[in-house]
Amino acid sequence: MKDKDGNELSAGEAAGKVGNRVVNTGLEAGVFFLHLAGYIPSHNIRKLIYRLGGVKIGKGSTIHMGAVFYDPKGIEIGEDTIVGEKSVLDGRTNLRIGNHVDIASEVMIYTSQHNVHDPKFTAESKPVTIGDYVFIGPRAIIIPGVRIGKGAVVAAGAVVTNDVPEYAIVGGVPAKQIGERKAKDLNYRLGRPRLFR
């Protein structure tokens, strides 16, 4: 038996690869089930299923319909946080989202990516941390290893490749600081999510 690069495998190596494939297939099936659950029009039922799947979700937080998860066990969401429709949350390495965070629709947050300079195109994983009271606009992309500070704002469509300081407003591709949030004593609650989203 040979691996994907054409190298001969010993019986032990082949058995290890087969075992790994079986485990990964099980994980993929679980993620697919969570994807299907994302279309149930009830926040409470979705939250229950997501929690059973391994996502840690704080009190009063919700994930709107159509969310996609990569390894839900690495995802932790604080209290009173809203994740918008069709967002992608990658838990292959730790993804920590704080309290009172507003993530708009179709935001993509990744913790793993391929190294395009490696001849074997290997995957690299780095944790992502999003502080309390952050707002991330629609269709923004957060890449692995980024830390977004408390109260920061990420503009719609931005691609965040570097850390974002507290209360900074960033936008563009790649995202750069374009302003600063004036209010620093943030203490709001996001409120009740819409019933059928």
Side-chain angles (χ1 to χ4, degrees):
M1 181 180 249
K2 295 182 178 182
D3 67 9
K4 67 180 182 179
D5 296 321
N7 301 316
E8 289 290 332
L9 297 173
S10 68
E13 291 170 329
K17 291 222 177 252
V18 169
N20 190 39
R21 178 60 57 98
V22 169
V23 168
N24 283 333
T25 300
L27 290 173
E28 289 170 7
V31 168
F32 178 68
F33 178 71
L34 291 182
H35 178 71
L36 294 178
Y39 292 96
I40 297 171
S42 166
H43 291 287
N44 291 330
I45 294 172
R46 283 198 311 272
K47 265 201 291 196
L48 173 64
I49 293 169
Y50 293 156
R51 284 176 173 150
L52 290 172
V55 181
K56 295 171 189 72
I57 305 173
K59 181 180 175 186
S61 291
T62 192
I63 300 170
H64 286 177
M65 292 176 69
V68 175
F69 300 92
Y70 300 141
D71 200 347
K73 292 179 181 160
I75 300 169
E76 183 178 332
I77 299 169
E79 297 183 0
D80 184 46
T81 288
I82 295 175
V83 177
E85 294 95 346
K86 299 180 183 175
S87 291
V88 174
L89 302 178
D90 182 354
R92 289 175 284 184
T93 297
N94 296 336
L95 169 56
R96 302 285 176 258
I97 300 171
N99 302 317
H100 317 291
V101 175
D102 187 354
I103 297 174
S105 300
E106 300 183 24
V107 168
M108 294 182 279
I109 304 171
Y110 293 102
T111 63
S112 187
Q113 64 185 355
H114 288 282
N115 180 349
V116 298
H117 302 294
D118 184 334
K120 294 197 181 264
F121 198 53
T122 55
E124 298 178 332
S125 298
K126 296 177 186 173
V128 170
T129 304
I130 298 171
D132 297 343
Y133 295 104
V134 168
F135 171 68
I136 302 175
R139 295 190 172 179
I141 300 172
I142 315 298
I143 69 156
V146 167
R147 296 181 62 86
I148 300 178
K150 178 181 178 181
V153 174
V154 176
V159 178
V160 182
T161 59
N162 292 304
D163 291 354
V164 177
E166 290 187 355
Y167 306 105
I169 300 171
V170 299
V173 180
K176 298 191 180 325
Q177 187 162 345
I178 57 175
E180 186 172 334
R181 205 165 177 180
K182 293 178 181 171
K184 303 283 195 289
D185 186 23
L186 304 173
N187 61 6
Y188 56 81
R189 294 192 62 79
L190 294 174
R192 182 181 68 80
R194 296 178 188 244
L195 285 177
F196 299 105
R197 289 177 70 187

